[in-house]
């Protein structure tokens, strides 16, 4: 576990910009490990009830548009009868607005394998000039028959989408992930191989990997799960991975918590690194992003990270959370953090 006193001193010095007041040189920030909350968090708040987003939003997916603008997709809910996907855009000051002011992907007809969808992950397909979205789909409320889907946009704005006839992956009953899958994160590596990391639960709980050479046909990795929970640790259950290739290595950010999962369970974000995207080494200090201070908007949970590397090499992390005071009243609120 992180040495708490040292952590508090370093973070307070960093946040207030007073690290040099002690006469000592500032401690260099570790990319992807040390995070600073941006001004204005949370960036997206619920709409008035009744409305399509009055329950808040979670599962953020960050991406840079071909024009250079910053876009964000998220799961939200309200008066639609279930989760929907909405899109937001940001100005240069990282102020976000829902644009368009309505869901971009709604609830499908009854009987569809992905009638309800959640946890989007976005990637720009340069060769086809369209967006690719990975997501959790399920046939009915209660996560009935969960599977991982992939759909493509019909426009460069990521507003028009066509649902696929079939998922790219459905777990086998009795397998390590045979009970539940969720939280896919798609990334194409420098070797040209597509990878989708996802949460699985069955005979164990962990993070699985699907790979594809053409981005269309997918196969589970033979070593699945490639990242497992640690019983008795702060991350004895893991959720919602985000994997990026940064500075020559693979980086994994994930949600972790101590079981059982209850309304008041604290959730934090951990980090691991890998040379091959399969064998991972956890950060030895535990969570790299924890819930906020008591009374803050996210003093109970911060989870479902998505990370974007910007043109200057710095990282921007989106996640969502909520407070103890908001238990049972919201899906969550989305915030942003920076790592230099």
């Amino acid at each position: 576990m992180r040495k708490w006193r040292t952590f508090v001193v370093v973070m307070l010095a960093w946040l207030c910009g007073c690290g040099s007041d002690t006469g000592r040189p500032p401690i260099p920030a570790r990319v992807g490990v040390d995070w600073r909350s941006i001004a204005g968090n949370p960036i997206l708040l619920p709409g008035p009830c009744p409305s399509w987003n009055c329950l808040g939003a979670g599962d953020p997916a960050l991406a840079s548009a071909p024009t250079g603008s910053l876009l964000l997709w998220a799961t939200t809910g309200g008066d639609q009868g279930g989760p929907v996907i909405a899109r937001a855009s940001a100005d240069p000051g990282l102020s976000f607005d829902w644009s368009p002011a309505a869901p971009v992907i709604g609830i499908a007809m009854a009987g569809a394998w992905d009638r309800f969808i959640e946890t989007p992950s976005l990637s720009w397909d340069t060769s086809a000039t369209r967006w690719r979205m990975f997501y959790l789909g399920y046939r009915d409320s209660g996560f009935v028959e969960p599977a991982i889907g992939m759909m493509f946009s019909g426009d460069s704005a990521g507003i028009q989408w066509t649902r696929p006839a079939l998922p790219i992956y459905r777990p086998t009953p009795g397998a390590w992930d045979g009970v539940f899958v969720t939280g896919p994160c798609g990334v194409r590596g420098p070797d040209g191989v597509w990878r989708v990391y996802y949460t699985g639960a069955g005979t164990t709980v962990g993070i699985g990997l699907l790979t594809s050479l053409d981005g269309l046909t997918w196969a589970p990795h033979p070593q699945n799960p490639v990242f497992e929970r640690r019983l008795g640790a702060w991350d004895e259950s893991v959720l919602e991975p985000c994997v990026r290739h940064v500075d020559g290595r693979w980086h994994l950010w994930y949600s972790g918590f101590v079981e059982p999962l209850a309304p008041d369970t604290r959730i934090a974000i951990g980090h691991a690194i890998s040379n091959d995207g399969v064998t991972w080494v956890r950060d030895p200090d535990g969570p790299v992003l924890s819930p906020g201070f008591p009374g803050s908007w996210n003093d109970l949970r911060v989870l479902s990270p998505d990370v974007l590397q910007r043109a200057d090499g710095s990282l921007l992390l989106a996640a969502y959370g909520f407070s103890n005071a908001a238990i049972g009243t919201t899906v969550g609120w989305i915030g942003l953090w920076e790592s230099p």
Side-chain angles (χ1 to χ4, degrees):
M1 296 296 291
R2 188 183 300 272
K3 295 180 181 179
W4 186 248
R5 181 177 299 175
T6 301
F7 174 73
V8 171
V9 171
V10 171
M11 287 302 295
L12 287 177
W14 185 22
L15 290 172
C16 71
C18 54
S20 61
D21 291 348
T22 63
R24 300 175 182 174
I27 298 174
R30 293 180 294 164
V31 174
V33 176
D34 295 326
W35 296 95
R36 178 175 59 190
S37 175
I38 71 162
N41 274 339
I43 58 170
L44 288 168
L45 295 175
C49 287
S51 68
W52 58 273
N53 64 343
C54 69
L55 294 181
D59 307 322
L62 279 173
S64 292
T67 59
S69 61
L70 187 62
L71 301 176
L72 182 148
W73 292 259
T75 307
T76 185
D79 60 7
Q80 302 293 295
V84 294
I85 303 297
R87 198 205 72 164
S89 58
D91 63 21
L94 297 181
S95 177
F96 280 82
D97 288 304
W98 295 113
S99 175
V104 297
I105 307 174
I107 298 171
M109 297 290 291
W113 75 267
D114 59 350
R115 186 183 186 199
F116 299 104
I117 66 173
E118 300 184 18
T119 63
S121 172
L122 274 291
S123 178
W124 175 251
D125 191 330
T126 303
S127 60
T129 62
R130 61 183 179 179
W131 290 99
R132 178 192 301 253
M133 178 187 291
F134 301 95
Y135 62 98
L136 162 68
Y138 48 97
R139 184 172 57 82
D140 208 347
S141 299
F143 303 104
V144 175
E145 298 179 10
I148 295 173
M150 179 180 69
M151 69 174 79
F152 294 96
S153 71
D155 63 343
S156 61
I159 294 174
Q160 302 169 8
W161 296 89
T162 301
R163 272 180 157 93
L166 296 170
I168 62 170
Y169 179 72
R170 187 184 298 280
T172 302
W176 77 270
D177 57 355
V179 174
F180 188 58
V181 293
T182 188
C185 172
V187 57
R188 193 178 191 184
D191 55 2
V193 176
W194 280 94
R195 295 165 170 84
V196 172
Y197 295 85
Y198 67 96
T199 303
T203 59
T204 187
V205 176
I207 293 171
L209 171 61
L210 310 175
T211 61
S212 173
L213 295 177
D214 61 5
L216 299 175
T217 56
W218 300 84
H221 196 278
Q223 295 182 34
N224 276 343
V226 296
F227 187 85
E228 290 196 66
R229 62 177 177 173
R230 294 185 299 174
L231 294 177
W234 74 270
D235 55 355
E236 68 178 9
S237 193
V238 295
L239 284 171
E240 298 158 341
C242 173
V243 175
R244 298 289 180 253
H245 195 265
V246 180
D247 296 336
R249 292 192 295 182
W250 294 95
H251 291 250
L252 164 67
W253 296 270
Y254 63 96
S255 310
F257 61 92
V258 176
E259 294 181 329
L261 181 60
D264 61 349
T265 299
R266 286 173 59 86
I267 301 180
I269 293 174
H271 174 256
I273 58 173
S274 171
N275 290 325
D276 59 5
V278 176
T279 302
W280 297 91
V281 178
R282 282 173 165 86
D283 189 280
D285 292 331
V288 297
L289 187 59
S290 297
F293 58 85
S296 63
W297 67 275
N298 64 337
D299 66 6
L300 179 61
R301 291 179 178 175
V302 57
L303 68 159
S304 192
D306 193 60
V307 175
L308 174 69
Q309 186 170 28
R310 297 188 282 191
D312 62 0
S314 65
L315 302 180
L316 188 65
L317 181 148
Y320 79 100
F322 56 86
S323 65
N324 282 280
I327 293 175
T329 66
T330 180
V331 171
W333 304 303
I334 294 173
L336 292 177
W337 290 260
E338 296 175 308
S339 182

